[in-house]
Amino acid sequence: MRLRKIRRTNHTNNGWKVIRRCVIFFTAICLVPVFLVFMVATDHYYARPRIPLNHPIGSELIQLDQHHRSRNNVSMFVLKRLEQRRTHLRKTCHLLGLDKIGNDTLHTPNSWEYLVDEKHHLIWCNVFKAASTSWMYNFNILAGYSPTFLRRSRTPPLTLARKKYGRPSLEFLRKAFRNKKSLSFLIVRHPLERLLSAYRDKIKYAVSGSYHFKLGKEIIKNYRKIRNAAPKYPTYPEFVAWLIDSVKAGKSLDMHWTPVVEFCTPCMFDIKVIAHTETLEEDQELIIKRAGLENIIKPQWQNAGKGSTTKQISSHYSLLTRSQILQLYHIFRFLNIDFHLLKITAPDYRFDFELFNYSLNGYLEVGQPDQDPSALLAAITMQDNQPDSVPHIY
Ligand SMILES: *[C@@H]1O[C@H](CO)[C@@H](O)[C@H](O)[C@H]1NC(C)=O
Ligand SMILES: *[C@@H]1O[C@H](CO)[C@@H](O)[C@H](O)[C@H]1NC(C)=O
Ligand SMILES: *[C@@H]1O[C@H](CO)[C@@H](O)[C@H](O)[C@H]1NC(C)=O
């Protein structure tokens, strides 16, 4: 109405038409992504996207099993589950465009973190805080170190392992993957459980004087209101606040909590076995048997029992607000964007959730309701910290 009145009084008919069209056009442009984001976001927090598993079950892994049936008595159930995970990973990689080679770290195959044991035909990407200690031990045993030596040695196990298994070049790694005899595997863990485990191991119980110990002091200095208050280490909320801010500031992530999607680029390789820490006993039994290493490696998983893990999760995540938990889920998107170099780095826990079929179930519920509802809303609609970047919807 108002527009029309003005139009009548003024004689700049065309000018107003153009402005009105612009307003409608831009409103539409702004609203569409917001709607899409809401639809996608609200759906994602609680439920995994259902990707149909029309991949035939009788595939490579199972055929391999039938071949070795007499030697390897592994339950069909475990094999089917592993096959489903592998299919899920491949489909999700494709869905998210993570299987395409590109300019950024997410789309560049990273061979650096893999260990290749040519003699035993094993390929493993060493994800920290996901049974990495016991498998580093296993690889050192396979490399020929004796258990006694490993117990006594003061050299870090990773350094010992790297003496025998050098950092593979991409070419070398690809060749190992192509070898039919190779058994490639990855052990993953719930991203927020892994983050908590890294916090406890590296920050809370940091070795006095170490890099992480100093980092802890730095976090307290910047994130604690009363500096001399207990405890001596950063609390989980302090650590998380620091982590979110440091990522926002474009700092790269510590290898102990960097997302698997960037550390191992699992979409760039055809990894056969995706073991989960929740089912590690069964999964690694299969790995050991399939590789014929029963006589060399004794399966072990010295993590604390499941019950205590659940308790740790609720006792730590109940200290965070729900919006903080959502920020952890989203935070690593659209950061470090440098348009001048056309180099986009977006390490993202959310990808780890999607690729390995994890959800926020059990985390959001224990978080504290936000005092300010707009904080939660902001976290839900959080697309990026850079208003100029293009919204990314999948
Ligand atoms: C396979 O192992 C299960 C127990 O793990 C046992 O009950 C079953 O008899 C075994 N089957 C064969 C064919 O060895
Ligand atoms: C994903 O997780 C859900 C719930 O834990 C489970 O029911 C489903 O089978 C899983 N899908 C795959 C492909 O592993
Ligand atoms: C990679 O970078 C070049 C310029 O360096 C750019 O033209 C190209 O579009 C980029 N490719 C992708 C997939 O981002």
Side-chain angles (χ1 to χ4, degrees), residues 315-366:
S315 72
H316 286 81
Y317 281 93
S318 62
L319 302 174
L320 303 181
T321 63
R322 292 184 181 161
S323 62
Q324 275 180 306
I325 297 171
L326 278 180
Q327 282 189 64
L328 279 179
Y329 181 72
H330 275 306
I331 192 71
F332 301 115
R333 308 176 69 193
F334 300 106
L335 300 162
N336 310 339
I337 297 186
D338 188 338
F339 284 110
H340 305 293
L341 297 174
L342 282 169
K343 196 173 168 210
I344 300 175
T345 320
D348 194 337
Y349 278 142
R350 180 166 174 184
F351 287 142
D352 281 11
F353 278 92
E354 307 285 354
L355 296 179
F356 305 117
N357 192 26
Y358 286 112
S359 78
L360 280 175
N361 285 345
Y363 287 83
L364 269 186
E365 294 91 324
V366 300

Side-chain angles (χ1 to χ4, degrees), residues 9-74:
T9 48
N10 283 333
H11 294 279
T12 52
N13 231 332
N14 276 344
W16 278 108
K17 238 184 217 166
V18 170
I19 290 172
R20 200 167 55 176
R21 274 187 198 156
C22 283
V23 168
I24 292 170
F25 180 70
F26 280 112
T27 313
I29 292 226
C30 293
L31 283 181
V32 166
V34 169
F35 270 117
L36 285 175
V37 165
F38 255 103
M39 279 163 58
V40 174
T42 44
D43 224 35
H44 266 168
Y45 296 134
Y46 287 101
R48 302 282 81 241
R50 289 279 166 263
I51 293 171
L53 293 167
N54 50 19
H55 190 79
I57 290 294
S59 68
E60 213 175 317
L61 265 176
I62 293 173
Q63 279 158 16
L64 250 170
D65 184 55
Q66 270 150 8
H67 187 65
H68 294 291
R69 181 56 66 84
S70 54
R71 189 163 64 112
N72 297 335
N73 175 17
V74 182

Side-chain angles (χ1 to χ4, degrees), residues 98 105-106 259-267 347-348 351-352 355-356:
L98 290 168
T105 50
L106 283 177
V260 177
V261 65
E262 203 185 24
F263 199 67
C264 301
T265 52
C267 295
D348 194 337
F351 287 142
D352 281 11
L355 296 179
F356 305 117

